[in-house]
Amino acid sequence: MPAASVMSSLLETVATERHRLRGEDVTSRFLGTISEGIAVWETAVAGFDAGGEAGQALAVVTDAFVLSEDTATAARVAEDVVRMGVAKPLDVLVVGLVQVHRELVKDNRRPVAMVRKAAAMERRATSRWRGAEGRRGQLVDRDLQLEEARLAAREVVADARRVADLLVRWRSQPVP
């Protein structure tokens, strides 16, 4: 399920409690995480287009949508509170945002795997045991793999942008 549809259903669930959630900063921290993930992928794709190496981008894109420590701690506490059955609207919102985050991380695995495969091809292309034709063939295969990673990353970025747009629109609506 796309993260944007999870976000949409979450915002519908907490729509009646917007007045209570108005001053909370968890949504801005979550929005920051999404924005950083989008920026990481855009930078990586621009690097691929400029002839950059997949090995350099791999370390960065692997952690594209990682939550900050304080947000992760708040999420664990909210999950515990919801599990105990004494949740406030903020806890429901945080648990929903964690579900959206999990969807984004799950979607991020596919392009990361492709970049990882391209990085392995780069390493094989530098092997001194391969002939010139073998090295060129590995680099051609790497370029094809990076093109597939670009397309998969565009899908992830598009979904993340839809999530961010929904959240920004929800935050900017006047509270009744």
Side-chain angles (χ1 to χ4, degrees):
M1 175 181 285
S5 62
V6 175
M7 178 60 100
S8 179
S9 65
L10 167 66
L11 296 179
E12 287 175 14
T13 302
V14 297
T16 59
E17 301 296 333
R18 286 197 65 238
H19 61 283
R20 290 185 185 178
L21 302 172
R22 184 174 38 179
E24 299 299 332
D25 69 334
V26 70
T27 56
S28 62
R29 288 185 294 182
F30 183 73
L31 191 57
T33 300
I34 293 172
S35 299
E36 289 172 12
I38 291 170
V40 162
W41 270 114
E42 287 176 343
T43 303
V45 168
F48 298 154
D49 291 340
E53 295 183 2
Q56 293 173 345
L58 182 61
V60 179
V61 298
T62 302
D63 298 331
F65 293 102
V66 173
L67 289 175
S68 64
E69 187 60 38
D70 56 342
T71 306
T73 302
R76 283 190 295 273
V77 169
E79 286 176 336
D80 289 342
V81 170
V82 167
R83 195 175 308 118
M84 287 186 260
V86 291
K88 294 183 256 179
L90 176 63
D91 299 322
V92 173
L93 177 66
V94 170
V95 169
L97 291 176
V98 167
Q99 291 172 348
V100 172
H101 175 257
R102 286 182 185 141
E103 288 296 321
L104 285 172
V105 168
K106 187 173 80 172
D107 292 345
N108 193 43
R109 289 181 190 149
R110 183 171 175 249
V112 167
M114 291 176 182
V115 171
R116 186 173 284 123
K117 188 174 180 180
M121 290 176 185
E122 283 176 357
R123 286 191 301 273
R124 280 188 238 130
T126 60
S127 171
R128 64 183 178 148
W129 298 104
R130 293 190 187 276
E133 288 299 316
R135 286 191 289 269
R136 273 190 292 246
Q138 284 292 313
L139 291 176
V140 168
D141 290 344
R142 179 215 51 176
D143 289 344
L144 292 172
Q145 188 67 35
L146 284 178
E147 184 59 34
E148 289 181 26
R150 278 187 200 104
L151 295 175
R154 283 187 193 135
E155 292 174 11
V156 171
V157 167
D159 194 27
R161 278 198 179 114
R162 284 191 298 271
V163 167
D165 289 343
L166 284 170
L167 191 56
V168 166
R169 220 175 303 131
W170 182 77
R171 289 177 62 196
S172 64
Q173 289 177 351
V175 177

